[in-house]
Amino acid sequence: MNSAPSSLDIEARYSCARTLALEAAQLGMSHYRQRNTLLVEHKGNDLQDVVSIADRQIEDFIRARLAERFPEDGFLGEESGSSDLAARCVWVIDPIDGTACFVNGLHNWCVSIGLLIDGEPHLGAIADPNHNELFHGCLGQGAFVNDTPLKVSAATNVAQGLTGTGTFHPRGKEHFIPFLEKLLAEGGMFFRNGSGALMTAYVAAGRLLGYYETELKSWDCLAGLVLLKEAGGQVNDFFRNDGLIRGNPYLVACPGVYQQLAEMIGPSLDG
Ligand code: 2AM
Ligand code: CA
């Protein structure tokens, strides 16, 4: 669906998403500058899956501001869980996407704020304070990095550029090496910066031809999916089988290489 009913104030929410993403990113920067003092914890048994006080504080900040401004809206966040998922408007946010980069001093992380309306990704803002880039978009209004419109690549073969990829230890890694082998065999090249939101935005911007992650969570990609759609990209059936809550394999790409990448991944993509 390309337009929301007039009873919802879309412009107010779009403007709020952009402002909040920028403010939250500055809060992130204040932690990032003192990252050596941050206590880093591991989620579950996976030593690579980390979280810090910065993640929790930024999520609390965003959640409180949204609740104040749009009390009727639902919420789903990586760190604090969900509320009112049956509401027409549901915010889906990741306070820091690229946490492993954040805690290791690599300048590849962002704040991602997306909004579902009636179950469809409708608007999104992704703030990358290390590169002074705000990616944002709203259905029917286009997608932008700062003020520059985004458009996916016109490439027709993976050999013509770079493909983002990623995996994580608990699930899906058996699909990763076979995919890499096929990508290289067909003349493609991989890229990984550790942030699903930024790599999705880079596909929308035509910087990457596509991006495959063996499993992603909805807060990592929801804002980016709006940009991707507005920039002319394609995505797999990510929301099937309760994907909003549980996550799923994830592929986004420009139309000219989507099928080529989907064939490299095989049935596990939408199986
Ligand atoms: P994060 O930085 O918010 O944890 C990198 O390959 C991408 O995978 C990032 O968007 C990262 O998000 C995400 N990621 C890391 N651990 C994950 C997990 N356990 N499940 C799903 N996605 C994960
Ligand atoms: Ca995160």
Side-chain angles (χ1 to χ4, degrees):
M1 145 170 133
N2 278 324
S3 61
S6 52
S7 57
L8 293 173
D9 192 343
I10 305 300
E11 282 314 310
R13 287 176 172 84
Y14 186 24
S15 166
C16 180
R18 284 175 287 178
T19 305
L20 258 185
L22 288 171
E23 289 180 12
Q26 285 314 311
L27 183 56
M29 278 307 264
S30 63
H31 285 288
Y32 189 58
R33 290 191 193 98
Q34 305 172 46
R35 59 190 168 273
N36 294 338
T37 65
L38 282 179
L39 175 67
V40 177
E41 295 167 55
H42 303 286
K43 289 184 176 176
N45 293 326
D46 182 10
L47 293 180
Q48 298 283 354
D49 201 358
V50 287
V51 64
S52 76
I53 187 75
D55 300 71
R56 298 197 182 101
Q57 207 180 84
I58 296 167
E59 181 152 325
D60 290 349
F61 167 77
I62 295 171
R63 190 169 190 164
R65 287 282 292 271
L66 289 173
E68 203 178 278
R69 188 80 199 279
F70 304 108
E72 68 276 31
D73 292 0
F75 182 90
L76 174 63
E78 174 165 15
E79 313 302 342
S80 65
S82 64
S83 61
D84 213 0
L85 292 181
R88 292 195 62 194
C89 290
V90 177
W91 296 93
V92 181
I93 74 123
D94 191 348
I96 299 179
D97 185 50
T99 302
C101 289
F102 185 99
V103 301
N104 287 299
L106 293 161
H107 293 10
N108 298 307
W109 55 270
C110 62
V111 175
S112 178
I113 300 180
L115 180 68
L116 283 171
I117 300 183
D118 297 333
E120 296 284 330
H122 200 99
L123 61 85
I126 297 170
D128 171 357
N130 286 291
H131 300 97
N132 291 317
E133 290 190 315
L134 176 68
F135 296 89
H136 59 98
C138 183
L139 282 198
Q141 296 189 32
F144 305 84
V145 53
N146 299 332
D147 296 325
T148 306
L150 301 181
K151 196 172 186 316
V152 294
S153 169
T156 56
N157 191 290
V158 293
Q160 292 170 279
L162 302 175
T163 297
T165 191
T167 190
F168 72 103
H169 283 279
R171 293 244 305 271
K173 59 183 183 295
E174 72 271 23
H175 303 297
F176 186 66
I177 297 299
F179 169 77
L180 273 186
E181 276 179 354
K182 290 177 195 157
L183 180 69
L184 294 173
E186 294 186 32
M189 184 46 69
F190 59 89
F191 170 88
R192 180 178 191 269
N193 74 353
S195 163
L198 284 178
M199 286 191 279
T200 302
Y202 293 168
V203 176
R207 299 175 189 180
L208 295 175
L209 305 183
Y211 165 40
Y212 167 54
E213 187 86 30
T214 56
E215 183 172 309
L216 209 59
K217 295 287 201 269
S218 63
W219 46 77
D220 297 320
C221 63
L222 198 126
L225 284 175
V226 179
L227 315 184
L228 180 89
K229 185 165 184 196
E230 287 296 298
Q234 285 179 228
V235 60
N236 71 309
D237 189 9
F238 177 76
F239 290 102
R240 74 183 189 285
N241 297 340
D242 215 13
L244 179 68
I245 307 299
R246 294 163 14 132
N248 263 323
Y250 179 74
L251 174 65
V252 288
C254 63
V257 307
Y258 182 89
Q259 198 51 37
Q260 190 180 6
L261 289 169
E263 282 169 19
M264 289 177 197
I265 299 161
S268 67
L269 181 62
D270 286 317

